[in-house]
């Protein structure tokens, strides 16, 4: 993943954004958060309001098998626990990992917006607005224990991952690698991208990966549909900003997380499921023949010619 310093909004929109590839932007003006957000400051700034967090006994969190539990803690207690390796007080085990992904007041209806959920901390952050105000979708506040690994997934909106404190490793896969990622919805079944179980997931060896390390103050541009797998190498705080680059009506109105497929894509998948159900009425050799014809038609009509 290329690293670029001193990128202006004009240069980003003219040279980088149209390429639809990840890039790490260094030295951006992010406000006082990069120096202020120590464990002490964070825990006193927002006090003891309750937050809902993920707690996992293992470092690799799996959204498909749900190998974690949701718990509630006062924010100040949570920050101190997430920053320590061994816990005197714990839910599952003394070396359990914590993860906060901020949500709206009612997560089914409201999007995450750091200005609403963490107003004191929001004052310290200058979010790079390289998009129009009406395109803004959400700003997600994240805190992770050291060693925590998030499942590989894609989002349907472009986003900036702003690493405020701590160090992260991010492994990315382009949308073309989807056939090798063993998808279940927007998430990959391959948990350990470094030591995959190739008996279970033999095609994963074909997936071409990009990788980058984010230091405090780095901003990673993750284009929509790019898969990403994130490891917090240290206790760290980040802010994600998602924005809409398709017309607003393309998105599902009930989507508060930014990960529901665009409406046209959901419709297409439902129609495909109906088509496959119709094929089940045929004997196997016919089913195979017409399924192959359908695949060819999809390739011819909808694949990009420059992807190969």
């Amino acid at each position: 993943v290329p690293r670029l310093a001193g990128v202006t909004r004009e240069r980003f929109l003219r040279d980088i954004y149209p390429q639809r590839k990840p890039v790490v932007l260094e030295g951006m003006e992010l406000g006082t958060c990069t120096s202020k957000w120590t464990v002490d400051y964070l825990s006193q700034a927002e006090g003891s309001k309750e937050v809902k967090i993920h707690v996992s006994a293992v470092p690799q969190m799996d959204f498909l098998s749900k190998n974690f539990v949701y718990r509630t803690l006062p924010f100040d207690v949570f920050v101190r626990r997430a920053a320590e390796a061994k816990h005197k007080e714990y839910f599952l085990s003394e070396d359990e990992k914590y993860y906060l992904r901020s949500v709206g007041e009612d997560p089914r209806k409201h999007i995450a917006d750091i200005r609403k959920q963490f107003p004191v901390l929001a004052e310290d952050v200058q979010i790079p607005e390289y998009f129009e105000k009406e395109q803004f979708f959400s700003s997600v506040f994240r805190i992770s224990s050291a060693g925590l690994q998030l499942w590989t997934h894609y989002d349907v909106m472009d986003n900036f991952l702003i690493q405020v404190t701590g160090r992260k490793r991010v492994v990315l896969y382009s949308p073309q690698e989807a056939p090798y990622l063993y998808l279940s919805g927007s998430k990959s079944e391959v948990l350990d991208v470094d030591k995959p179980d190739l008996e279970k997931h033999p095609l994963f060896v074909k997936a071409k990966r990009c990788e980058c390390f984010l230091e405090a103050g780095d901003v990673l541009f993750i284009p929509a549909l790019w898969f990403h797998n994130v490891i917090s190498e240290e206790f760290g705080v980040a802010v994600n900003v998602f924005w809409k680059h398709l017309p607003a009506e393309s998105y599902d109105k009930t989507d508060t997380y930014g990960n529901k497929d665009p409406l046209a894509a959901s419709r297409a998948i439902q129609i495909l499921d109906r088509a496959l159900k119709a094929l089940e009425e045929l004997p196997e050799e016919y089913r195979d023949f017409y399924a192959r014809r359908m695949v060819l038609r999809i390739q011819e009509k909808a694949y990009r010619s420059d992807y190969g």
Side-chain angles (χ1 to χ4, degrees), residues 3 24-28 30 33-34 161-170 212-220 230-239:
R3 299 182 70 91
V24 178
L25 305 169
E26 297 174 349
M28 295 185 83
L30 300 173
C33 55
T34 44
L161 172 53
I162 302 164
Q163 190 63 22
V164 181
T165 70
R167 186 173 199 257
K168 276 200 176 97
R169 185 195 77 166
V170 186
C212 64
F213 289 90
L214 298 182
E215 309 290 345
D218 285 345
V219 176
L220 172 62
V230 181
I231 295 184
S232 295
E233 301 216 320
E234 301 166 344
F235 164 77
V237 186
V239 179

Side-chain angles (χ1 to χ4, degrees), residues 163-182:
Q163 190 63 22
V164 181
T165 70
R167 186 173 199 257
K168 276 200 176 97
R169 185 195 77 166
V170 186
V171 176
L172 299 126
Y173 300 92
S174 96
Q176 296 130 270
E177 305 306 312
Y180 316 125
L181 297 181
Y182 295 89

